[in-house]
Amino acid sequence: MPVLTEEQAKSNPILKLAAELRQRTYGMCDVGIGPWGYGVNTLPLTKVGTVVCMDPDPYGETPLPPEVKEYTVTLRPICVEQDGVRGDNAIREEELQRLCADPDVMTRLVANALREMSAVPVTVSKQEDIDAFDALYEADQRHTERLTGDEARRLEELRWYETKTPEEIVDFQLSVEKLCMTMERFREAAESVFHHPVTAETLDDCRMELLQERRIMLAVSDCKAHEDADQSESPQSFGPVLG
């Protein structure tokens, strides 16, 4: 995942925006690139995320006229929690204000950062856009871990896990390489989810094994949910109709 140097962030307005967003959200929101321009990967610890909007959009289906030399870049907060399914619904200002005081510490952290940053559009030139796109691509090739060690330590200090269920703790920790809590607390959550002792001393010692077990557990649960839904939708038989 893109981790930018201080020099890179100072050299380009888009890179500065990306670095500030990642820094203020403790790595929860990470700006990267894709076929349709810039995207934001948001880790599943928060109810709010964001998308990068450009006006006019140089990555749209219709090519821009050659006289367009600048773009306005803004962050648009979105809802990313819909019964466990990540969505892309825009959040109104009043809802964002409410999320800034949410009981969940991670949601509060991200919402407050986005409330301030989304209010400040950034103007970039065509060349600055090209340079930022190339720099993010190169940074993504250099960094494969989703969180840095410093971000993991900051998350642990925030005690994010205190408002999460054992399932949420396990699913998050198995999705990232860095432990963002004490191993003792992770073992406690994991044993609650898997119903067997977890004796590993580090996350590295058990992560891949538990990840595979968790995938099987979720697949079985999903199959059972589909079977129950099929049974509930099947026509009821009330016996023969007598004439």
Side-chain angles (χ1 to χ4, degrees), residues 89-153:
N89 292 336
I91 294 178
R92 295 180 179 178
E93 176 62 26
E94 55 268 28
E95 175 64 8
L96 187 61
Q97 289 280 7
R98 187 190 67 78
L99 290 171
C100 287
D102 194 87
D104 177 65
V105 64
M106 296 311 304
T107 296
R108 291 200 306 272
L109 177 79
V110 176
N112 276 284
L114 291 177
R115 181 177 60 84
E116 295 179 12
M117 295 184 67
S118 63
V120 185
V122 175
T123 300
V124 302
S125 69
K126 186 175 182 179
Q127 187 59 51
E128 286 171 334
D129 170 44
I130 294 172
D131 293 343
F133 199 91
D134 291 343
L136 287 172
Y137 174 79
E138 293 173 1
D140 190 48
Q141 303 306 302
R142 293 194 305 268
H143 302 278
T144 57
E145 294 188 345
R146 180 58 179 81
L147 293 174
T148 67
D150 181 61
E151 288 166 344
R153 286 189 292 273

Side-chain angles (χ1 to χ4, degrees), residues 70-194:
E70 287 187 341
Y71 318 113
T72 300
V73 180
T74 55
L75 296 177
R76 178 166 65 91
I78 61 171
C79 176
V80 294
E81 183 188 66
Q82 297 176 349
D83 298 325
V85 178
R86 305 183 74 73
D88 60 356
N89 292 336
I91 294 178
R92 295 180 179 178
E93 176 62 26
E94 55 268 28
E95 175 64 8
L96 187 61
Q97 289 280 7
R98 187 190 67 78
L99 290 171
C100 287
D102 194 87
D104 177 65
V105 64
M106 296 311 304
T107 296
R108 291 200 306 272
L109 177 79
V110 176
N112 276 284
L114 291 177
R115 181 177 60 84
E116 295 179 12
M117 295 184 67
S118 63
V120 185
V122 175
T123 300
V124 302
S125 69
K126 186 175 182 179
Q127 187 59 51
E128 286 171 334
D129 170 44
I130 294 172
D131 293 343
F133 199 91
D134 291 343
L136 287 172
Y137 174 79
E138 293 173 1
D140 190 48
Q141 303 306 302
R142 293 194 305 268
H143 302 278
T144 57
E145 294 188 345
R146 180 58 179 81
L147 293 174
T148 67
D150 181 61
E151 288 166 344
R153 286 189 292 273
R154 294 172 72 196
L155 286 173
E156 182 177 352
E157 292 171 358
L158 206 58
R159 303 172 72 88
W160 61 272
Y161 45 81
E162 292 186 346
T163 54
K164 303 299 182 183
T165 66
E167 289 78 11
E168 289 171 331
I169 292 171
V170 166
D171 288 343
F172 170 70
Q173 275 297 178
L174 294 182
S175 71
V176 297
E177 296 84 356
K178 294 286 192 298
L179 188 63
C180 305
M181 59 197 304
T182 64
M183 190 62 192
E184 180 181 0
R185 286 186 177 272
F186 174 72
R187 275 197 294 264
E188 181 182 338
E191 289 176 357
S192 175
V193 171
F194 295 109

